[in-house]
Amino acid sequence: MSVIDNDTKRKLREMGATALLDAIDAQDEAHVLGMSFQERLQLIVDEAHSIFNHGKVEGLIRRAEYS
């Protein structure tokens, strides 16, 4: 559960950064407690990148099945 307000979430969605928003929301606050901003940001970006790549692979698989 993230502590990001609804306006910031809306802006992230408008920018097409839903993977980033999902990664932020997926963070376990107990797990990241005590981490620096840099460490938390790295975890968020790593997770968002993973979500993004997973979506790309799924899209490629779907398109390959139609060929």
Side-chain angles (χ1 to χ4, degrees), residues 9-53:
K9 288 180 180 182
R10 177 189 56 79
K11 290 174 184 174
L12 285 167
R13 280 189 209 96
E14 285 178 4
M15 294 186 316
T18 54
L20 186 60
L21 181 57
D22 291 344
I24 292 168
D25 284 337
Q27 276 197 334
D28 180 4
E29 292 298 319
H31 176 71
V32 297
L33 190 65
M35 285 185 166
S36 69
F37 174 78
Q38 182 179 353
E39 291 169 325
R40 285 188 74 168
L41 182 60
Q42 184 176 354
L43 286 176
I44 290 168
V45 170
D46 288 348
E47 178 65 18
H49 187 258
S50 177
I51 292 168
F52 176 79
N53 281 334

